[in-house]
Amino acid sequence: MEMTPVCTERIGTDGCIIGSDRGHRRSKVPRDVEIDIEFLYKVVPQLAKVFRIIDKIGEGTFSSVYLGEAQMRDGRREMFALKHLIPTSHPTRIAAELQCLTVAGGKENVMGVTYCFRKDDHVVIVMPYMEHRAIVEIIGSMSFEEVRLYIYHLLKALRHIHQFGIIHRDIKPNNFLYNRSSKMYALVDFGLAQGTADTQIELLKVDLTGLRKVPRPVFGERNLNSCTPAPSTTKQAAIKTESGKTEEPASRRYPSASRGPLPVRSQSSSQKPQRAMQQGLTCNCYQTDRVCNICMSRKQQVAPRAGTPGFRAPEVLTKCPNQGTAIDVWSAGVILLSLLSGRYPFFKASDDLIALTQIMTIRGSRETIQAAKAFGKAVVCSRELPRQDLRTLCETLRGRRPSPDDEVTPLPEANKDSTATHRHEIQDNTPTHRPANGAGQTFPNHQEHSQTNELTKHDSESDYKAEEDERGWDRVPDEAYDLLDQLLDLNPATRITAAQALQHPLFTDL
Ligand code: ADP
Ligand code: MG
Ligand code: ZN
């Protein structure tokens, strides 16, 4: 792609130096970032009048975020985050994101907005820049007190947005900026937000479902068969929705109780094959591993399910149509679980059913089935998975307790099969075992971790434990696990709210 710099005084002749006009802070950025910056100046030329764009600080599916410096009237230079939304974003979606920031932002640990630029399809949201570090970098050195404060501030942000009837839908550490030295916190990214029935955000009253989606393929969004030849023995969990259409038909195989796989099925409790017959929806694929043409032509159950699988609440994973602010509370619970166990990400699943299976492994299959029934979904699981004690689980994962292999029920064979591709993915970009800083996820490779642990034991072990004790991990109060238990309530109707959680005994002194 050929790119003409629109703002030559800002681009050095070698094409590599940006911001040479004022002679300060000549920063060198990689060539691809530099091209992106040039492109941004080109599509939104007004930016050049105000900002010197220094670097790219975030890149997602729906936006790229840049660091920009502006000279203020009083001569000070200030840093801003410039969020450039993909030009295909729906205007209503963009407006809703902005309205969340303008109405609820700027206080209570919620990011505010300074300005917004638009030219044609290109929109740039300008926010105060908050320096922060990724959770994966700091999780291994966080003290218990730091974790307690982090969750407290996250819950404060949630209480605040929930008061406005905003459901964030993508609560995860990447969207909750944390500056360790200044003890500042900011919830960002309302790009997936939705409104409750009585939301105060006008633009969230519009049905935003699907406005930020790429066109849906006939088969599930992640067809495992297209990445790896799925062995015919793969037992893949399946969700059959109200209409009978499966979410992942390509990989749907009917459960067999042998070999200890963990097929999960969930469907609307009310759905009975007989009823389908009565309605003239007779089909012969019910309870088989195929999807017939009748089912193929059915409408998909529409339920919002945006977000990151590992942070999705059970009611989201099972496509419960009425979802509320409780889904954000669940995600906060997953974050707390991660911080208490020292593992990030805790759940990492490429699809909803693997995510649901991982939840059942921690919270119990019977409990999950029962909760799902309460919100109108039938979940079927071929093998009973006992609920884990949260303290034992977290202390084991932190290496504070001996780790017999059955302490955490490892993921069943079937899921390991079906996540084969996914495991490669992880090995490419995430630490798979606990290095010095403690990062490394729990699922799906808990076993790899235990092996690594064996190797690194011996001399470093006691040092490690002493450091951990210093950071308060030897005296985590029961209140922490009690709150965790209430955040990770499988039933959204009884799950603690953010406002209630702030009143929890864990936070009495705050
Ligand atoms: P996306 O929808 O692409 O995820 P986000 O709003 O979450 O966009 O921003 C992506 C990343 O950019 C964030 O995870 C964060 O690292 C960075 N970022 C966003 N806003 C700010 C800000 N105000 N200050 C500093 N960094 C920010
Ligand atoms: Mg984000
Ligand atoms: Zn059918």
Side-chain angles (χ1 to χ4, degrees):
M1 179 164 51
E2 268 221 346
M3 203 71 65
T4 333
V6 280
C7 189
T8 40
E9 75 275 19
R10 281 163 206 276
I11 314 278
T13 43
D14 62 352
C16 280
I17 309 296
I18 296 180
S20 53
D21 53 339
R22 293 187 186 102
H24 294 284
R25 205 202 288 264
R26 297 162 68 97
S27 47
K28 205 157 179 156
V29 294
R31 180 67 193 152
D32 55 333
V33 170
E34 184 193 314
I35 288 169
D36 290 347
I37 293 173
E38 287 171 25
F39 178 72
L40 183 56
Y41 278 130
K42 185 178 170 179
V43 293
V44 190
Q46 312 96 292
L47 287 174
K49 299 201 180 91
V50 188
F51 298 103
R52 187 173 68 91
I53 303 172
I54 297 168
D55 202 354
K56 189 188 247 187
I57 51 176
E59 164 122 58
T61 324
F62 304 106
S63 78
S64 296
V65 181
Y66 297 86
L67 173 64
E69 185 192 58
Q71 176 129 30
M72 312 307 280
R73 286 211 184 82
D74 61 8
R76 277 180 310 114
R77 284 156 192 274
E78 241 175 69
M79 299 296 220
F80 293 89
L82 313 177
K83 179 169 177 172
H84 179 209
L85 303 170
I86 55 157
T88 52
S89 305
H90 194 284
T92 313
R93 185 67 266 180
I94 298 172
E97 177 168 358
L98 261 172
Q99 201 168 51
C100 290
L101 290 165
T102 51
V103 177
K107 47 188 166 303
E108 296 283 303
N109 303 324
V110 179
M111 181 54 70
V113 59
T114 311
Y115 203 78
C116 184
F117 289 91
R118 181 181 76 88
K119 183 166 187 262
D120 305 326
D121 292 344
H122 293 273
V123 174
V124 175
I125 300 175
V126 180
M127 298 165 273
Y129 172 69
M130 195 177 124
E131 209 180 316
H132 62 280
R133 280 172 72 192
I135 205 78
V136 69
E137 287 177 37
I138 60 170
I139 190 168
S141 58
M142 281 172 96
S143 66
F144 170 69
E145 182 58 10
E146 200 177 1
V147 165
R148 190 176 75 107
L149 289 171
Y150 179 99
I151 289 297
Y152 177 79
H153 285 282
L154 173 61
L155 289 167
K156 243 173 108 161
L158 290 185
R159 175 180 62 186
H160 183 66
I161 64 162
H162 292 169
Q163 273 166 359
F164 286 93
I166 301 172
I167 311 170
H168 186 281
R169 298 202 67 91
D170 200 14
I171 296 298
K172 55 180 177 182
N174 286 355
N175 288 334
F176 188 59
L177 314 184
Y178 169 46
N179 185 310
R180 222 176 175 181
S181 44
S182 65
K183 290 281 168 229
M184 297 239 287
Y185 307 83
L187 180 62
V188 298
D189 199 357
F190 290 87
L192 292 172
Q194 285 186 337
T196 58
D198 57 350
T199 184
Q200 292 168 46
I201 312 294
E202 285 304 314
L203 289 163
L204 289 183
K205 291 179 177 160
V206 187
D207 179 21
L208 297 158
T209 319
L211 290 191
R212 209 190 182 187
K213 271 191 191 148
V214 265
R216 255 199 129 91
V218 176
F219 288 102
E221 53 202 337
R222 230 179 234 255
N223 181 349
L224 295 164
N225 291 335
S226 66
C227 314
T228 34
S232 56
T233 51
T234 298
K235 300 297 187 292
Q236 169 72 29
I239 286 184
K240 254 197 179 183
T241 62
E242 191 112 42
S243 60
K245 191 164 183 171
T246 51
E247 182 61 14
E248 304 276 356
S251 48
R252 187 162 63 93
R253 295 286 186 281
Y254 204 69
S256 117
S258 61
R259 244 187 92 206
L262 189 63
V264 187
R265 298 181 71 248
S266 110
Q267 60 187 186
S268 197
S269 296
S270 58
Q271 192 198 13
K272 300 258 157 47
Q274 294 92 325
R275 208 184 81 179
M277 305 277 204
Q278 281 158 14
Q279 292 174 338
L281 302 172
T282 320
C283 91
N284 51 16
C285 77
Y286 184 76
Q287 294 208 339
T288 69
D289 62 353
R290 295 169 300 110
V291 180
C292 70
N293 288 339
I294 297 168
C295 288
M296 200 71 98
S297 64
R298 290 174 188 191
K299 261 170 61 190
Q300 293 234 351
Q301 168 148 30
V302 225
R305 53 185 286 281
T308 312
F311 294 93
R312 283 183 195 146
E315 67 271 27
V316 180
L317 295 172
T318 54
K319 296 184 137 198
C320 184
N322 30 32
Q323 300 170 13
T325 51
I327 70 166
D328 291 341
V329 174
W330 173 275
S331 309
V334 175
I335 298 177
L336 180 57
L337 175 60
S338 205
L339 298 177
L340 291 177
S341 63
R343 302 302 190 86
Y344 182 82
F346 194 93
F347 299 119
K348 185 161 179 173
S350 54
D351 71 61
D352 286 352
L353 285 158
I354 293 172
L356 193 61
T357 306
Q358 294 177 351
I359 289 173
M360 286 199 276
T361 308
I362 304 297
R363 303 301 278 158
S365 54
R366 259 193 304 138
E367 290 81 353
T368 306
I369 290 164
Q370 199 189 338
K373 204 170 162 192
F375 54 78
K377 293 285 173 179
V379 173
V380 183
C381 180
S382 68
R383 183 174 110 187
E384 190 172 328
L385 296 163
R387 185 188 185 97
Q388 312 257 337
D389 173 72
L390 293 170
R391 178 187 285 275
T392 311
L393 172 72
C394 292
E395 290 182 350
T396 305
L397 290 172
R398 250 184 200 282
R400 305 194 60 85
R401 280 171 189 257
S403 161
D405 259 348
D406 53 9
E407 281 269 28
V408 181
T409 312
L411 276 192
E413 292 302 318
N415 285 292
K416 280 194 258 162
D417 285 350
S418 60
T419 52
T421 331
H422 166 65
R423 286 155 70 81
H424 287 295
E425 228 174 83
I426 291 154
Q427 279 161 2
D428 289 340
N429 50 33
T430 336
T432 50
H433 50 81
R434 190 180 61 201
N437 70 3
Q441 76 234 16
T442 306
F443 288 111
N445 49 2
H446 160 71
Q447 287 170 321
E448 282 168 40
H449 158 73
S450 345
Q451 283 156 14
T452 319
N453 232 12
E454 293 307 317
L455 297 174
T456 49
K457 257 180 189 167
H458 315 304
D459 33 314
S460 61
E461 180 119 313
S462 58
D463 294 355
Y464 174 73
K465 194 171 171 299
E467 280 167 35
E468 285 257 303
D469 289 357
E470 227 160 85
R471 289 185 276 113
W473 293 107
D474 57 336
R475 41 188 193 275
V476 177
D478 288 338
E479 284 78 25
Y481 297 106
D482 179 75
L483 176 63
L484 178 59
D485 184 54
Q486 296 193 57
L487 295 170
L488 293 181
D489 185 334
L490 294 155
N491 183 354
T494 50
R495 193 174 301 149
I496 198 169
T497 65
Q500 290 162 350
L502 288 165
Q503 302 299 315
H504 191 276
L506 180 64
F507 305 126
T508 342
D509 59 314
L510 294 174

